[in-house]
Amino acid sequence: MRKLAVLCIGLLGLTLLVGCGSDTDNAKRVPPPPGRPESYATVEPAPASAPPGLRDQGPARKDNAAGGETVTTRKEVVTGSVEMTAGKPIDTASKIADRVREVGGRIDSRTEQPGTDDADPSATLTIRIPADKTDTFIDGLGGLGKVTRVHTNRDDVTMQWEDLDAKIKALQASVDRLRGLIAGATNTADLINAEQALSSRQGELDSLTAQKRHLDDEVALSTLNIDITTATTKAQEDRADNFWEGIVTGWHSLVDWLKDAVVFTGKALPWLGFLVVLAAVIWGVLRTVLRRKKSGAGGPTPSPAAASGSTAAAGAQSSASAGTPAGTGTSAGTGSSAGSASSAESES
């Protein structure tokens, strides 16, 4: 029984020694304070470990110096439009153009319309400025006029840029290999095939390089369309606010209408003269045609003597055809001639 108790005590002491050894290994020995021997040591508790899963929630860090993946800068194409009003739009457009040159941009298009009786003055600019200065430039337009509307858009083209860059690198490597093959070609057939392949690859490489250059220009310089108009339009200027202004406005509108009517009449007179001359010519032609048709349908009118002669001749022919004796016909004709002569004398 005593042996069993000694054995239990020994096991308990061994367990305590093992626990103290592990605590000593985990402890950090610090320098002793002044006045204490070197054997003195204080045990600093080990830092508490974070619960599993909490550190995994943070963003992963990439060490570029240790061979990590390089992060590509975001590529954006910035476009926008600005509408503003100013007292003198053309002068304001000139000032905006000067500011564009100051920030290192350029003007792609510029349209100016001076004021007329029927239209207000206006100006339109299409400018390209550095993308990182776009917001500052738009804020500065407030000092040149009143900005009424601003719209900007940022289009992410990072994937397109990376795709072009990868294709260009692959084609460049292929072109370099083909040039090496051409340099080391031993026969004409291999040389011709390598040159044909090199020509095709070089064309693709030049096309992709041009596309990337254009995309880099779009990313580097933002595009803004600026429309500048007057602060008050003619409709607002002509608007009447009281009775007297209404009378004045009505009188001006009447005068303008009379001017327009006079101008319209002056424009219409030449046309009226032309229409009158054209109608007279058409009437003369139609009248001549109708007269010719009437004269052709009636024919020459016979005289009375000719009509009686033709009647007598017709009667003689009818009596001859009926078998009448010639003497009878002669006497009858003589009698009729004498009778007609006597009647003519009596009438005279």
Side-chain angles (χ1 to χ4, degrees):
M1 192 68 183
R2 184 178 294 176
K3 292 180 178 180
L4 182 60
V6 172
L7 182 60
C8 290
I9 293 171
L11 292 175
L12 181 60
L14 182 61
T15 302
L16 292 174
L17 289 176
V18 173
C20 292
S22 62
D23 292 337
T24 304
D25 292 336
N26 293 331
K28 181 186 293 184
R29 184 177 297 275
V30 297
R36 295 293 183 93
E38 292 292 334
S39 59
Y40 176 83
T42 58
V43 178
E44 183 180 356
S49 59
L54 291 181
R55 291 186 179 182
D56 296 338
Q57 294 177 2
R61 296 180 180 179
K62 297 179 181 180
D63 188 5
N64 295 335
E69 183 182 358
T70 303
V71 179
T72 304
T73 307
R74 180 183 176 91
K75 306 292 183 181
E76 292 180 341
V77 176
V78 182
T79 57
S81 61
V82 180
E83 295 179 2
M84 57 185 302
T85 59
K88 297 180 179 179
I90 297 178
D91 294 342
T92 304
S94 300
K95 295 178 182 179
I96 293 176
D98 294 337
R99 290 194 177 184
V100 170
R101 298 185 187 96
E102 290 175 359
V103 299
R106 68 174 188 264
I107 300 174
D108 285 353
S109 67
R110 180 174 179 176
T111 304
E112 296 178 353
Q113 180 180 354
T116 61
D117 294 338
D118 299 329
D120 298 321
S122 62
T124 302
L125 298 174
T126 300
I127 63 174
R128 303 290 305 280
I129 57 176
D132 56 347
K133 299 179 181 179
T134 303
D135 296 335
T136 304
F137 183 85
I138 293 175
D139 294 338
L141 293 178
L144 301 177
K146 182 180 180 181
V147 179
T148 59
R149 183 178 179 272
V150 176
H151 172 74
T152 57
N153 181 46
R154 295 180 179 270
D155 187 12
D156 188 3
V157 293
T158 306
M159 295 298 295
Q160 182 180 355
W161 189 91
E162 290 179 350
D163 183 56
L164 286 174
D165 186 65
K167 290 180 179 179
I168 289 173
K169 290 180 179 178
L171 283 175
Q172 186 64 53
S174 178
V175 167
D176 294 340
R177 288 194 300 268
L178 288 173
R179 288 177 178 173
L181 291 176
I182 291 175
T186 57
N187 53 56
T188 305
D190 293 341
L191 180 62
I192 293 174
N193 292 333
E195 287 181 349
Q196 291 178 353
L198 177 61
S199 177
S200 176
R201 298 292 175 83
Q202 187 65 45
E204 294 179 6
L205 179 60
D206 294 340
S207 176
L208 292 177
T209 303
Q211 294 179 23
K212 185 182 177 184
R213 189 182 303 111
H214 177 72
L215 187 60
D216 288 336
D217 180 73
E218 294 291 328
V219 172
L221 298 177
S222 61
T223 304
L224 291 178
N225 295 321
I226 304 177
D227 294 330
I228 311 170
T229 57
T230 55
T232 56
T233 61
K234 288 191 175 296
Q236 294 175 348
E237 292 177 355
D238 295 340
R239 186 180 60 187
D241 295 332
N242 52 49
F243 179 76
W244 175 250
E245 290 182 358
I247 293 177
V248 174
T249 302
W251 172 256
H252 289 320
S253 63
L254 177 60
V255 172
D256 293 338
W257 182 85
L258 290 176
K259 290 180 179 179
D260 294 338
V262 171
V263 173
F264 176 78
T265 304
K267 291 181 178 179
L269 283 177
W271 287 97
L272 291 176
F274 172 74
L275 293 175
V276 170
V277 173
L278 182 62
V281 172
I282 294 174
W283 171 250
V285 172
L286 292 176
R287 188 175 180 182
T288 303
V289 172
L290 292 175
R291 284 182 178 180
R292 288 182 179 179
K293 286 184 177 180
K294 288 180 180 180
S295 62
T301 304
S303 61
S308 62
S310 61
T311 303
Q317 290 179 359
S318 62
S319 62
S321 61
T324 307
T328 307
T330 303
S331 60
T334 305
S336 62
S337 299
S340 60
S342 61
S343 62
E345 291 176 356
S346 62
E347 289 178 357
S348 62

